Amino acid sequence: MILELDCGNSFIKWRVLKAKAVALMAEGVVDSDQALLESLRGLDGLALSNCRLVSVRTVEETVALTAMLEREFGVTVVCAKSAREMSGVKNGYEDYERLGLDRWLAMLGGFHLANGACLVLDFGTAVTADFIAADGEHLGGFICPGMPLMRNQLRTHTRKIRYGDLAAERALASQAPGRTTVEAVERGCSLMLKGFVLTQLEMARAYWGQDFTVFITGGDAELVAGAAPDARIVPDLVFVGLAMACPFS
């Protein structure tokens, strides 16, 4: 069995694959190393043979997680690394090691699935957009705050904005102008993200006309899907790239 981990800024997304069939056995999202350990311990018949991960956390945090996994399950953990070029994709950053690993792997996965020009949009704690041409050249991208960051900034810096996650979820049931603070904030932030999507689509069309594929991934992907009805929603796009960057023969 193969354990795959996507260690983001706020959460760890994990899944266990049956190695021979490459079939999904279990998956989940946790907010700490300890919660990950408890989730894995709760799986019946877990017998890990390999582990690969991508992390945008600090080196110290990643080393601690790796050591825990090796100690608990006796596996060697392979960590994805930056590269100037891989699987036909050319890293477009001037300093290629500064490009976030999650973005790099999502680009690898998107280019592989599209087999041509693509726009990769990732909606997590931060929102990212990356443009990959048909020849694999990464043209660059954009980063802006995602829903969690926008929401938390308003809660932190505006005294009268106080509400819980359940209220936020209910507020997004409609996109009509808000008649309460929670509705106004949540719907306003979601409209900003949808506007971001539309802008990226305009830029992609300026590059490639209609000859490109749009991928939307990340925890808030469904929130903006309506702004790009022809996009492919691929929740595990980073894992597609992770398998390419860290193959097990």
Side-chain angles (χ1 to χ4, degrees):
M1 298 176 184
I2 298 172
L3 173 63
E4 297 184 326
L5 302 173
D6 177 4
C7 306
N9 294 298
S10 303
F11 299 99
I12 299 174
K13 187 174 183 179
W14 64 270
R15 68 181 191 176
V16 176
L17 304 176
K18 294 180 181 178
K20 291 185 178 180
V22 196
L24 182 65
M25 174 184 171
E27 62 181 344
V29 179
V30 294
D31 59 4
S32 68
D33 294 2
Q34 188 58 39
L36 172 64
L37 185 58
E38 292 173 0
S39 296
L40 294 175
R41 284 174 172 170
L43 297 178
D44 292 332
L46 182 67
L48 296 178
S49 57
N50 299 98
C51 176
R52 56 191 170 210
L53 68 79
V54 54
S55 175
V56 297
R57 299 184 169 195
T58 66
V59 173
E60 293 76 15
E61 290 173 319
T62 304
V63 168
L65 174 59
T66 299
M68 182 193 77
L69 294 170
E70 293 180 341
R71 181 176 63 253
E72 292 289 331
F73 301 105
V75 294
T76 299
V77 179
V78 179
C79 300
K81 296 181 179 180
S82 300
R84 291 190 183 278
E85 183 173 351
M86 182 179 291
S87 299
V89 180
K90 306 174 190 70
N91 193 316
Y93 261 31
E94 294 178 2
D95 180 355
Y96 75 93
E97 293 181 319
R98 300 291 293 176
L99 177 68
L101 278 171
D102 51 349
R103 288 173 63 193
W104 175 238
L105 295 184
M107 287 193 295
L108 293 181
F111 187 72
H112 171 73
L113 295 177
N115 194 28
C118 59
L119 168 62
V120 177
L121 303 172
D122 191 340
F123 292 85
T125 302
V127 171
T128 62
D130 285 289
F131 297 78
I132 304 95
D135 62 357
E137 186 73 34
H138 174 219
L139 305 180
F142 298 96
I143 304 173
C144 70
M147 279 293 286
L149 288 178
M150 289 193 288
R151 179 187 296 129
N152 290 339
Q153 284 296 302
L154 285 169
R155 285 175 174 173
T156 300
H157 296 288
T158 308
R159 291 183 180 181
K160 292 186 178 180
I161 296 180
R162 297 288 185 273
Y163 56 85
D165 292 340
L166 181 58
E169 183 178 346
R170 289 173 176 169
L172 288 171
S174 168
Q175 286 296 303
R179 297 174 66 94
T180 64
T181 298
V182 61
E183 290 177 353
V185 169
E186 292 297 313
R187 296 173 190 179
C189 290
S190 70
L191 286 175
M192 288 186 71
L193 293 187
K194 290 176 182 177
F196 179 84
V197 172
L198 295 176
T199 301
Q200 306 312 300
L201 291 174
E202 288 180 7
M203 295 187 70
R205 293 188 189 106
Y207 280 128
W208 307 308
Q210 299 297 325
D211 192 16
F212 66 96
T213 304
V214 182
F215 293 96
I216 298 180
T217 189
D220 285 324
E222 294 295 339
L223 189 63
V224 299
D230 295 328
R232 294 177 60 178
I233 309 298
V234 185
D236 295 328
L237 190 58
V238 169
F239 284 140
V240 175
L242 179 61
M244 297 167 65
C246 304
F248 295 124
S249 55

